[in-house]
Amino acid sequence: MGHGGEPRRAPAYDGELGAAVARAQEGDEAAFAVAYRLVQPGLLGYLRGLVGDDAEDVASDAWLEIARDLGRFRGDGAGFRGWTATIARHRALDHLRRRRARPRAATLEQDVLELPGPQSTHEQALEAMSTERALDLVRGLPRDQAEAVLLRVVVGLDGPAAARVLGKRPGAVRTAAYRGLKRLAGQVGAESVTDEAPRTLGEST
């Protein structure tokens, strides 16, 4: 089964991660530290997209729960990333409920932002994803799109795994990720053209 579809993004360290998790489950603390180091950057990016500056705090809560329930986890490295993302997501949603805040979704402006981007837009959006600016843009997407993009691109989950975290059908998550990336690509493309005024993207006709 050649690897079509998934660009070089799916983390290459899943084997290493799975081995570390297995050792951590036997009580090896150094192995737990390895698992943490491999998973934390993606998890933090995901949480930053959901709760902004509170990501570090929510991540700490999530890791306490992950450490506590580690013995119950069954699966490989990719499975562990999905499991940790699910825990982090529940923590983030609790946090947002306590805050009474919604992730800021500028749904009204969204239609204006559907700018057709240049051809390889998705790749460009993926390239830009590691930047703070891109995370800011993601936070402006409708929640379902933002989460799908973050889980696929930042956490590196495949479609079915992302769907499990979100409790949705894979097709729905695929569509949401596609729409989100397309929208991001349009914004990223428009910004490189009109660098001075990223705030008024919708007005450049």
Side-chain angles (χ1 to χ4, degrees):
M1 269 203 336
H3 3 255
E6 291 302 42
R8 76 221 166 287
R9 275 280 169 172
Y13 52 71
D14 274 344
E16 187 188 343
L17 178 57
V21 170
R23 289 199 309 277
Q25 287 182 312
E26 290 157 13
D28 181 336
E29 287 184 22
F32 186 80
V34 170
Y36 173 87
R37 206 174 60 241
L38 291 173
V39 171
Q40 172 71 347
L43 210 57
L44 208 50
Y46 176 45
L47 288 171
R48 204 165 276 136
L50 291 180
V51 300
D53 295 336
D54 297 327
E56 299 272 357
D57 292 344
V58 174
S60 304
D61 288 348
W63 280 105
L64 286 173
E65 187 174 331
I66 289 161
R68 191 192 69 209
D69 294 344
L70 187 64
R72 297 219 304 264
F73 170 73
R74 297 283 170 271
D76 57 8
F80 185 72
R81 274 186 298 120
W83 184 68
T84 54
T86 302
I87 290 175
R89 177 172 199 261
H90 288 152
R91 288 270 163 230
L93 297 181
D94 285 347
H95 177 84
L96 291 170
R97 269 194 293 275
R98 280 199 305 276
R99 273 271 133 112
R100 278 279 182 291
R102 302 214 161 24
R104 10 167 251 216
T107 328
L108 273 179
E109 306 154 49
Q110 287 311 335
D111 300 330
V112 208
L113 291 177
E114 293 272 20
L115 307 170
Q119 251 352 82
S120 59
T121 49
H122 290 40
E123 281 302 307
Q124 287 166 7
L126 289 176
E127 291 312 319
M129 279 299 299
S130 54
T131 68
E132 288 297 315
R133 178 71 192 116
L135 282 174
D136 278 350
L137 288 173
V138 172
R139 292 193 74 204
L141 293 173
R143 168 85 155 263
D144 64 324
Q145 293 181 16
E147 286 208 71
V149 169
L150 290 164
L151 287 171
R152 295 298 311 271
V153 177
V154 180
V155 183
L157 299 182
D158 65 17
R164 278 196 298 279
V165 171
L166 297 173
K168 295 186 169 164
R169 293 190 326 284
V173 174
R174 229 189 352 264
T175 303
Y178 175 79
R179 289 198 176 129
L181 283 172
K182 190 167 162 227
R183 189 168 271 171
L184 278 182
Q187 287 169 282
V188 171
E191 276 190 16
S192 50
V193 180
T194 59
D195 231 350
E196 321 77 70
R199 283 281 136 247
T200 52
L201 268 179
E203 291 158 30
S204 55
T205 38

